[in-house]
Structures are given as structure tokens and as C-alpha cells.
């Protein structure tokens, strides 16, 4: 079967009303059906081997997992069969269309000059079959995933051709010029470093991963007649160790299994990671490519770039780890289990994140290197008040539990009192995270307790200001200044600023926008 890509038309004027469509509707690649069928057969191999080769008794504990896998595989293959039968797409000179649905038909059509991103992904089975999933993003309602066209799945050659043509510059497309291919002029900004693994192998998900791995191992070994429970119980004399050592060893073992699982997941997802800037005749594109079993390539138009976001989670802040994303228009959130399209680096040292941010912005302003202005002491008092009130409320709740519930001890309320130093400490940490500055073409804000976020947003990207004051903020003379924008999360805030400083900050960042609402002082 031929896998040659379709000949995509050049951008042209919208056809006249009532004229028949020039381009025929195309199907998805039929290999997607056979891939699901093969996967279903392979998933039944462990149970077949256990029963036929190892002569394991076909008891319910062996049969029902295989039956569930078979049903899921059958339903998936059937769903893909109907999707292949009822999905069509068309690339005209002016629009991209997708017609889909079995019981309810739907048609999604977007202008080519509205396309903001073309992402290509492929898991292991799709790669082996030469298939790719192409997601065409338009930037419309990107946060909810609307306004996107997903073609699951097309051939590798078709995916490359779609990316080449649809990422052409809008001005060139409107002029009717041929869409240029990438000319190979790439600038490497960042590549995967081995020590980044240390920042990604320890978190709370390690225990969830460990539980899944242990259950899977137990089920597979049980299918071939191996009793994992007996093996573990015979390793050491658990009764002689006592409950304390038993719990400690079990926790360490689960954490180790989880860390190994996270390590394998990180290597699989970010293998051969590259962040490059691709230069063509009509502009530049920020591109990330990564993946071992499942590959992914995301292209982001530099013309849509509005800033960079660096997040430092609380429990990784002490080792200097950070997550990095771009603030851009037209980037949708990723699906379940995928990094958002705005993410440009895996978790890595914050120094590396700042270096990459400077290279991505590439304008010499260095907003992440500039010192930030501290917020007033009243902001600290506000957080301390919340910390004390939280501990008092918890103490009162525990006191009520201790007095009304007989199994609970009367001194349970002391646990609430013990939380006071912790909450006050967290209040100080949250206050020290506050900061703001104006650096060249950027306004910079920083805030957050569980995740300290530093955002450098282009001043020209601000489309409005939201000023908010709670009752306590009014009493303390504080105000929260929120910059609204069409990019990224849509709003970036600087909480608990002095009122005069906050208004001056907003007015300086975007001169004239707040002028009609500010009262001038007169001598």
C-alpha cells in the first residue's frame, strides 16, 4: 500500500459561494485498525503462555484480567474501525476541514491563516506501523482544547507534509507563494543532560507508580504459578524485626521501586530531547522533539511568543529544580498523560532554566536575572494572620473531636497547636516569594507558596488590568494587581502590593491604559 503524502494545495483565495469543492475528502490511514487488532492479540499472549506452556490452572484470578484486556482491545479496535469509516479530512487552499461522527455528525473547519501550531506524536505501536497523530491548533479556546483538529492517524510522510505546509507564514500563504520546507538552519538551545534525571525520579507519584508496578508483577507471576507473597515473607524474619523496621523497610522498598519506575518513565519520555530554534525564509520556530517509545514534536511560532514562565515547586525548590514553559498565544493544553505544548524543558536546575529563558527570548533584556522589588511588610502580616487563624481553627476542630468522640484522646487539640510554627513558617516562605519589576520590554511578577512562579510577560501583550482588594487588604493598604493577556494562562498577578506602588507599576508597565481611572494629585 502506498504511503505517499497527499499533494496539498497552495494557499489561495476563498472559493466563490456555491462552487463545488476542489479538493476531495480523504480518509485516515487504514493501518490504524490492524494495529489495534495486533495489540489485542499480543496482550493475550501472557495468559496463553501461562495456561498452555506452564500448565497453570485456568482459575478466575487468571481468566478475568485477560478477559478485561480482550474486551478493551475489542472495543478499541471497533471504535477505531468506526472512526476510520466516518472520519474524513480535507486541506484546501484556504481551510482545513474534518468531518467525523457516527450517530452524531460533526464538522470542524478552520481557516489556514488561523493555524498556530502543528504537533506530531506517535506511540510505539504507531511508530512501528509508520503512523503519526497530527494535532492542528488554532489558538481558539486553547485552554479547553476547542478549536483543534486531531488527525489520528495518518502516515509518517503525510504528517511531515502537513507540518511543512500548514506552518507556512500567514503572509506568504495569503500571497499564494509556495510554502517553504525547513531549510535545516537550526540553533540548538538545550539538550538532555544526564544529571537532570536526579530532579525527576523523586516525588509523590513514585508511590503510585510503585503500587502499579508491584500489582502488575504480582499478577504476571501469579499467572505462571509464582507466589510473590511467599517469596517476600521468606526473605527475612519479619516478626523478629518488629513493626517499626518492617514499615521502614517496606516504605524504602516501595520508594525504590517507584524511583526506578519514574526513572524509566523520564528516560522514555525525554530520550533525545532537543530544544532548537528553526530558521526559515519567513521566520523562526521554537521546536522541541523528544521520546523513546513515544515520540513527540511540538512547533511554536516565535511570532506568537509573549514571555516565559518558570515554576519552582516547594519540595524541589530546596534543590534548585524548576519547570519552564513559554507564554504564547495559540498553545492548547495537552491531553491526559502529556506535557502541555507550552513546556519547553523537563524539570531541571533553575540556573539552566534561566539560561534557556534568556536564549528563547533572545532580546538582551534578561528579565530573570534582574533583582525584584520586595512587597511591603503588611503583606507578611496578612499571611501570618491567615496562618494563625488556620491553626486556631484546626485546634478548635480537634478539641471538639476529642470531647465528643470517645476513641479519640482529650489531648488531641495539642496537635493543632503544634501546627502553628509550621503555618507561620510557610507564611514567611510565601512572603519571601513575592516580587515584581519592570525590565526593558517585560513586566516580571513572582508569587506562590506550593509553586513559586516567576513570569516575564511582554508589556505589549497586556490587554487590561484587574485591581482587586479584599476587606483585610483594604485595612492593610494592599492591592492585588492582575495583568490580563491573550497568551498563556490569561492572567498574571502581583498580590499584596502597596496601593500606590501597585498603581504606579501598572501605569508604568503599559503607559496610558490606567490614566482615565487615576486621580491626579494637586498641590
Amino acid at each position: 500500500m502506498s504511503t505517499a503524502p497527499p499533494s496539498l494545495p497552495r494557499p489561495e483565495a476563498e472559493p466563490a459561494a456555491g462552487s463545488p469543492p476542489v479538493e476531495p475528502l480523504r480518509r485516515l490511514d487504514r493501518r490504524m485498525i490492524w494495529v489495534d487488532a495486533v495489540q489485542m492479540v499480543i496482550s493475550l499472549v501472557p495468559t496463553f503462555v501461562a495456561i498452555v506452556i506452564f500448565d497453570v490452572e485456568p482459575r478466575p484470578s487468571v481468566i478475568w484480567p485477560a478477559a478485561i484486556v480482550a474486551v478493551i482491545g475489542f472495543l478499541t479496535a471497533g471504535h477505531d474501525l468506526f472512526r476510520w469509516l466516518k472520519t474524513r479530512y480535507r486541506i484546501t487552499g484556504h481551510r482545513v476541514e474534518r468531518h467525523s461522527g457516527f450517530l452524531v455528525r460533526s464538522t470542524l473547519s478552520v481557516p489556514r491563516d488561523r493555524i498556530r501550531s502543528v504537533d506530531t506524536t506517535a506511540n510505539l505501536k504507531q511508530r512501528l506501523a509508520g503512523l503519526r497523530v497530527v494535532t492542528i491548533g488554532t489558538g481558539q479556546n486553547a485552554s479547553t482544547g476547542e478549536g483543534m483538529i486531531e488527525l489520528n492517524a495518518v502516515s509518517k510522510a503525510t504528517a511531515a507534509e502537513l507540518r511543512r505546509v500548514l506552518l507556512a507564514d500567514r503572509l506568504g500563504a495569503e500571497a499564494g507563494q509556495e510554502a517553504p520546507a525547513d531549510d535545516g538552519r537550526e540553533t540548538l538551545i538545550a539538550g538532555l543532560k544526564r544529571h537532570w534525571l536526579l530532579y525527576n525520579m523523586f516525588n509523590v507519584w513514585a508511590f503510585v507508580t510503585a503500587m502499579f508496578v508491584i500489582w502488575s508483577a504480582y499478577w504476571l507471576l501469579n499467572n505462571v504459578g509464582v507466589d510473590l507473597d511467599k517469596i517476600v515473607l521468606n526473605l527475612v524474619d519479619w516478626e523478629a524485626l518488629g513493626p517499626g523496621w518492617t514499615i521502614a523497610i517496606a516504605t524504602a522498598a516501595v520508594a525504590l521501586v517507584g524511583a526506578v519506575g519514574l526513572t524509566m518513565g523520564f528516560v522514555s519520555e525525554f530520550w533525545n530531547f532537543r530544544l532548537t530554534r528553526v530558521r526559515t525564509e519567513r521566520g523562526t520556530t521554537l521546536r522541541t522533539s523528544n521520546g523513546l517509545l513515544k515520540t513527540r514534536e511540538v512547533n511554536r511560532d516565535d511570532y506568537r511568543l509573549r514571555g516565559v514562565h518558570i515554576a519552582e515547586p516547594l519540595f524541589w525548590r530546596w534543590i534548585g529544580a524548576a519547570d519552564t514553559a513559554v507564554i504564547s498565544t495559540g498553545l492548547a493544553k495537552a491531553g491526559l498523560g502529556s506535557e502541555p505544548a507550552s513546556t519547553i524543558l523537563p524539570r531541571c536546575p533553575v540556573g539552566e532554566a534561566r539560561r534557556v529563558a534568556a536564549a528563547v527570548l533572545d532580546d538582551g533584556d534578561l528579565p530573570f536575572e534582574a533583582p525584584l522589588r520586595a512587597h511591603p511588610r503588611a503583606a507578611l502580616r496578612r499571611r501570618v494572620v491567615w496562618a494563625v487563624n488556620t491553626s486556631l481553627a484546626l485546634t478548635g476542630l480537634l478539641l471538639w473531636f476529642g470531647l465528643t468522640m470517645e476513641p479519640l484522646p482529650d489531648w488531641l487539640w495539642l496537635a493543632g497547636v503544634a501546627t502553628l510554627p509550621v503555618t507561620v513558617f510557610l507564611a514567611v516562605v510565601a512572603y519571601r516569594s513575592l516580587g515584581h519589576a519592570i525590565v526593558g520590554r517585560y513586566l516580571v511578577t513572582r508569587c506562590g507558596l506550593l509553586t513559586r512562579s516567576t513570569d516575564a510577560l511582554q508589556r505589549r501583550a497586556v490587554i487590561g488590568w484587574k485591581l482587586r482588594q479584599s476587606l483585610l487588604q483594604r485595612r492593610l493598604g494592599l492591592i492585588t494587581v492582575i495583568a490580563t493577556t491573550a497568551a498563556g494562562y490569561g492572567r498574571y498577578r502581583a498580590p499584596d502590593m502597596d496601593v500606590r506602588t501597585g498603581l504606579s507599576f501598572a501605569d508604568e508597565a503599559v503607559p496610558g491604559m490606567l490614566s482615565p481611572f487615576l486621580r491626579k494629585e494637586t498641590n
Side-chain angles (χ1 to χ4, degrees):
M1 181 178 60
S2 176
T3 60
S7 178
L8 300 182
R10 294 182 302 174
E12 57 188 16
E14 182 76 24
S19 62
V22 178
E23 292 296 318
L25 290 170
R26 304 178 184 275
R27 289 184 183 271
L28 300 176
D29 199 294
R30 69 182 64 184
R31 284 174 291 178
M32 56 189 282
I33 305 171
W34 304 113
V35 167
D36 286 331
V38 172
Q39 181 185 10
M40 181 180 64
V41 173
I42 293 176
S43 65
L44 298 177
V45 169
T47 302
F48 176 81
V49 171
I51 295 176
V52 176
I53 298 179
F54 291 94
D55 198 24
V56 175
E57 180 183 356
R59 53 188 184 275
S61 61
V62 176
I63 297 301
W64 71 261
I68 292 177
V69 171
V71 170
I72 293 176
F74 177 79
L75 293 177
T76 301
H79 174 267
D80 282 346
L81 174 61
F82 282 116
R83 185 161 56 85
W84 179 78
L85 290 173
K86 293 299 180 179
T87 300
R88 303 286 192 278
Y89 72 95
R90 173 166 49 208
I91 312 294
T92 69
H94 196 81
R95 309 185 72 83
V96 179
E97 302 175 8
R98 187 193 66 186
H99 306 264
S100 61
F102 179 62
L103 297 178
V104 178
R105 298 289 292 170
S106 66
T107 300
L108 181 59
S109 177
V110 297
R112 285 176 61 165
D113 60 5
R114 295 283 299 176
I115 293 174
R116 301 293 182 261
S117 62
V118 179
D119 304 342
T120 305
T121 60
N123 55 32
L124 180 59
K125 64 180 182 179
Q126 291 166 338
R127 290 177 63 192
L128 294 176
L131 299 175
R132 296 294 186 269
V133 179
V134 177
T135 304
I136 303 170
T138 64
Q140 191 174 23
N141 294 326
S143 62
T144 61
E146 299 178 7
M148 297 172 56
I149 294 181
E150 182 181 85
L151 302 179
N152 181 10
V154 297
S155 68
K156 180 180 177 180
T158 300
E161 182 70 4
L162 288 170
R163 187 199 71 188
R164 183 185 73 84
V165 174
L166 296 180
L167 283 180
D169 181 77
R170 183 175 63 182
L171 296 179
E174 291 175 348
Q177 301 174 10
E178 183 71 22
D182 295 346
D183 60 7
R185 291 180 294 174
E186 293 188 357
T187 301
L188 180 64
I189 298 177
L192 185 65
K193 296 181 174 57
R194 294 179 180 177
H195 67 274
W196 291 1
L197 183 61
L198 299 176
Y199 298 89
N200 293 272
M201 60 187 299
F202 299 106
N203 60 45
V204 69
W205 290 105
F207 293 93
V208 178
T209 302
M211 293 303 177
F212 175 77
V213 171
I214 293 172
W215 181 86
S216 301
Y218 175 83
W219 177 70
L220 289 174
L221 293 175
N222 191 52
N223 280 351
V224 296
V226 178
D227 191 346
L228 187 60
D229 290 342
K230 185 178 295 185
I231 294 176
V232 173
L233 291 175
N234 292 334
L235 287 176
V236 295
D237 188 353
W238 298 104
E239 293 185 0
L241 287 176
W245 279 106
T246 300
I247 294 175
I249 293 175
T251 303
V254 171
L256 179 61
V257 173
V260 172
L262 290 181
T263 299
M264 296 175 61
F266 176 80
V267 172
S268 174
E269 182 173 1
F270 290 102
W271 179 263
N272 199 29
F273 170 83
R274 285 170 57 87
L275 171 64
T276 59
R277 175 164 276 126
V278 182
R279 302 182 183 276
T280 67
E281 296 178 1
R282 298 189 180 120
T284 59
T285 298
L286 199 63
R287 175 180 297 172
T288 54
S289 57
N290 54 276
L292 180 60
L293 301 180
K294 178 180 179 179
T295 59
R296 187 184 188 200
E297 180 180 286
V298 182
N299 296 273
R300 310 161 186 86
D301 189 356
D302 272 334
Y303 180 75
R304 307 292 170 186
L305 187 65
R306 298 294 182 266
V308 174
H309 164 88
I310 295 180
E312 302 168 73
L314 178 62
F315 297 106
W316 286 267
R317 198 181 307 168
W318 316 115
I319 60 175
D323 301 321
T324 311
V326 292
I327 301 173
S328 179
T329 59
L331 291 182
K333 291 183 178 179
L336 183 63
S338 300
E339 289 285 344
S342 58
T343 300
I344 58 173
L345 279 179
R347 185 163 294 169
C348 65
V350 65
E352 179 71 5
R354 291 170 179 166
R355 182 196 69 80
V356 169
V360 167
L361 298 177
D362 194 25
D363 52 16
D365 281 331
L366 302 178
F368 291 98
E369 303 296 333
L372 302 184
R373 184 175 178 180
H375 288 210
R377 289 287 180 177
L380 174 60
R381 291 199 297 272
R382 180 173 183 245
R383 281 155 178 75
V384 171
V385 168
W386 276 107
V388 172
N389 289 340
T390 300
S391 294
L392 289 177
L394 180 61
T395 301
L397 183 63
L398 294 178
L399 177 62
W400 181 72
F401 284 161
L403 294 177
T404 57
M405 299 182 182
E406 291 186 0
L408 299 178
D410 296 339
W411 49 264
L412 185 62
W413 63 274
L414 293 176
V417 177
T419 63
L420 182 60
V422 178
T423 57
V424 172
F425 173 75
L426 293 177
V428 175
V429 172
Y431 169 73
R432 290 174 60 86
S433 297
L434 298 176
H436 65 277
I438 294 178
V439 183
R441 288 172 285 184
Y442 297 89
L443 63 90
V444 185
T445 61
R446 187 181 67 192
C447 64
L449 172 60
L450 297 180
T451 299
R452 183 172 66 188
S453 300
T454 307
D455 303 295
L457 177 67
Q458 291 179 357
R459 294 159 63 182
R460 67 181 180 90
V462 177
I463 59 177
W465 292 100
K466 181 178 180 179
L467 308 176
R468 189 179 65 189
Q469 273 188 312
S470 66
L471 179 61
L472 182 57
Q473 283 180 312
R474 285 199 296 269
R475 292 181 61 87
L476 295 174
L478 300 175
I479 191 172
T480 296
V481 179
I482 303 173
T484 60
T485 177
Y489 294 113
R491 43 190 290 167
Y492 296 89
R493 64 193 190 101
D496 293 338
M497 301 176 68
D498 176 78
V499 172
R500 186 184 299 272
T501 302
L503 296 177
S504 299
F505 172 74
D507 190 48
E508 182 182 355
V510 187
M513 183 175 290
L514 285 182
S515 297
F517 308 98
L518 297 179
R519 183 176 58 190
K520 295 183 179 180
E521 295 183 354
T522 57
N523 295 330

